[in-house]
Amino acid sequence: MDNPEFMSAQPAETSAAPSLPWRDALKVYLEPATLRMLALGFSAGLPLLLVLGTLSFRLREAGIDRTTIGYLSWVGLAYGFKWVWAPLVDRLPLPPLTTLLGRRRGWLLLAQGVVIAGLVGMALNDPRQGLAPLIWCALLVAFGSATQDIALDAFRIESAETRKQAALAAAYQTGYRLAMIWAGAGVLWVAAWAEVAPAAGATGAAAYQNGAWKTAYLVMAASMAVGVLTVLLSPEPVRRVLPKARNAAEWLQGVLIEPFADFIRRYKWQAALILSLIAIYRISDVVMGIMANPFYVDMGFTKDEVATVSKIYGVVMTLAGAFVGGVLSMRLGVMRVLMLGAVLSAASNLLFAWLASRGHDLTALIAVVSADNLAGGIASAAFIAYLSSLTNISYSATQYALFSSLMLLLPKFIAGYSGAFVDSHGYAQFFTATAFLGVPVLLLVALAARITTTKAPAGRQ
């Protein structure tokens, strides 16, 4: 960080847009800090689908019913409670990792090791022989992934000044989305490639080949090497020297209470509005996402078809969305792009409702996945920049973990019932309902755009 100070010093703007020239806005994407965030974003995005969307595809193929798949998505609630241990990641040293790598990189490397171990465990377990071992390994992956997110968010926020956070967020989101393509489409390609000819007449769950999924998940575990190498080769952000606590009570005050008290102190009653927006901004996408892969299976799309569409068409639109979202946030301001992203995210769910009426239509799948990825890239880049602008650098890991946890908690809880809803009402009604979940978001974005804050006094802790 060039000038360590409150990230909240420049919250999402409400009137005047930034006047940064287009050339300077684009050059930031070639800076080392931005390129590092591209690789680390890949490491952060890889585990998510492997314990959610991709896992739901695998379980549906193995014959697990949709209602059970929906409930098992609650594994993702680990991301919603990461604020509980975020203060430890923010302040607790990990000898000897902290000594060798620094506080942020030490926690990153430990978390990545946990993710790799969990993915190997998921590879070695067959869901047909019992779900419990597979789910415990998925929980391990989710815990390690959530811990990596805590450390990585702090690493990103501390790696560049406030005006560059939108670009870092866009690079992070690009890497994250590339990883989600690899963990969503790539894993299907690998599993399809590893399959052997099924027994004559075998269909549905009888044609399920766990050996192919074992190979695919082992490849995913090996792909975490991208993040591991980036951590080992990256510089540690400039360490902020914090005063030592005089006793245990003072340490607990600084680690557990002060990060949350600081946010309330800065935003007062407006904190409730901000937290409400954070809690539901991505609700349409998150609730819908759990049933997307079971939907593809039930519509008769093959692994190769889903993988090809996601890789060739989806990735182009995702990269375009993340890039456009980052540049527009720097040029026009975060709140305007935040509103645009909210509208597009809800509207793209209606396209899935239309797709449900088309059956096995590959052209329609290409169009819907492309539009959905474009909307998601724009919304996510702006949202990450918005969350980053709210944090105090003294508590960056803890406060950002609180925000990103809150973002997932309610949507993932509701998503647990998605399978039961589909079983009762069908896919078209489900996707339409998830689109309408995004309507309150528009009102909250409009209200949040009116919030203004000023810099905290220099030296305030």
Side-chain angles (χ1 to χ4, degrees):
M1 193 78 179
D2 294 337
N3 182 23
E5 60 183 2
F6 286 113
M7 296 301 299
S8 58
Q10 296 181 13
E13 74 303 310
T14 58
S15 54
S19 57
L20 191 66
W22 284 105
R23 182 177 180 181
D24 291 343
L26 296 175
K27 281 172 61 178
V28 71
Y29 283 95
L30 299 178
E31 295 180 358
T34 309
L35 297 176
R36 282 195 292 270
M37 289 314 306
L38 180 68
L40 290 173
F42 181 90
S43 179
L46 188 71
L48 183 64
L49 283 184
L50 298 176
V51 297
L52 294 174
T54 299
L55 180 59
S56 67
F57 193 111
R58 178 183 180 183
L59 294 177
R60 187 60 178 160
E61 211 178 51
I64 307 300
D65 63 272
R66 287 185 295 244
T67 298
T68 299
I69 292 173
Y71 292 145
L72 291 179
S73 71
W74 282 336
V75 166
L77 285 174
Y79 294 92
F81 285 100
K82 62 185 179 183
W83 58 271
V84 175
W85 65 94
L88 298 179
V89 178
D90 211 359
R91 300 293 183 94
L92 189 67
L94 290 172
L97 289 177
T98 300
T99 302
L100 295 173
L101 300 173
R103 182 173 54 183
R104 301 308 184 199
R105 293 196 301 150
W107 274 102
L108 280 172
L109 192 63
L110 175 64
Q112 290 166 349
V114 172
V115 170
I116 292 171
L119 290 176
V120 171
M122 293 182 71
L124 301 179
N125 284 282
D126 187 340
R128 297 171 302 177
Q129 298 176 1
L131 287 174
L134 183 65
I135 298 307
W136 279 112
C137 290
L139 282 169
L140 185 64
V141 173
F143 176 77
S145 176
T147 304
Q148 178 183 222
D149 288 348
I150 296 168
L152 183 51
D153 290 331
F155 184 92
R156 172 176 53 81
I157 291 169
E158 295 169 2
S159 294
E161 63 266 29
T162 304
R163 71 182 182 87
K164 295 183 178 180
Q165 284 299 320
L168 262 63
Y172 170 90
Q173 186 64 27
T174 299
Y176 197 98
R177 289 286 178 163
L178 283 172
M180 293 184 76
I181 296 297
W182 179 232
V187 71
L188 297 181
W189 272 338
V190 175
W193 169 79
E195 286 180 339
V196 297
T203 59
Y208 174 79
Q209 298 184 27
N210 194 65
W213 284 104
K214 175 182 177 180
T215 299
Y217 267 74
L218 288 176
V219 169
M220 294 300 111
S223 300
M224 285 295 294
V226 173
V228 172
L229 290 174
T230 303
V231 168
L232 293 176
L233 297 175
S234 296
E236 177 77 0
V238 177
R239 183 176 181 181
R240 186 179 180 87
V241 179
L242 301 172
K244 292 184 178 181
R246 290 171 294 183
N247 51 54
E250 187 173 276
W251 186 85
L252 290 173
Q253 171 73 22
V255 171
L256 298 177
I257 299 175
E258 188 58 27
F260 306 109
D262 167 78
F263 179 76
I264 301 299
R265 193 163 49 235
R266 286 185 289 121
Y267 290 97
K268 300 181 175 60
W269 66 269
Q270 295 173 327
L273 172 60
I274 294 172
L275 294 176
S276 296
L277 171 59
I278 293 171
I280 68 169
Y281 185 75
R282 301 311 307 272
I283 193 168
S284 293
D285 286 346
V286 174
V287 175
M288 184 277 287
I290 296 301
M291 283 295 113
N293 277 326
F295 169 68
Y296 298 148
V297 174
D298 291 340
M299 290 295 104
F301 294 108
T302 66
K303 293 189 191 71
D304 282 331
E305 286 175 334
V306 175
T308 300
V309 170
S310 298
K311 180 66 175 178
I312 296 177
Y313 298 98
V315 69
V316 173
M317 301 308 289
T318 296
L319 292 174
F323 180 82
V324 169
V327 172
L328 288 181
S329 293
M330 295 179 68
R331 181 69 183 176
L332 304 177
V334 173
M335 296 308 293
R336 293 185 179 92
V337 184
L338 207 63
M339 178 65 83
L340 174 64
V343 172
L344 293 178
S345 294
S348 65
N349 284 15
L350 294 176
L351 294 178
F352 277 94
W354 170 76
L355 181 61
S357 68
R358 304 285 298 180
H360 186 272
D361 186 334
L362 191 59
T363 301
L365 179 66
I366 292 171
V368 171
V369 168
S370 298
D372 184 58
N373 278 274
L374 176 66
I378 292 173
S380 294
F383 193 47
I384 292 172
Y386 177 64
L387 297 186
S388 299
S389 74
L390 299 174
T391 62
N392 173 343
I393 196 170
S394 295
Y395 316 107
S396 52
T398 302
Q399 289 184 347
Y400 197 94
L402 172 64
F403 301 149
S404 55
S405 296
L406 187 62
M407 172 186 73
L408 296 173
L409 195 55
L410 179 62
K412 286 194 178 296
F413 177 75
I414 295 175
Y417 298 100
S418 59
F421 189 99
V422 171
D423 284 340
S424 298
H425 303 286
Y427 281 114
Q429 290 81 358
F430 169 71
F431 292 133
T432 301
T434 61
F436 280 104
L437 285 175
V439 173
V441 176
L442 305 181
L443 175 61
L444 290 177
V445 172
L447 293 174
R450 298 173 178 271
I451 296 176
T452 58
T453 60
T454 57
K455 286 189 178 184
R460 179 153 176 195
Q461 299 294 326

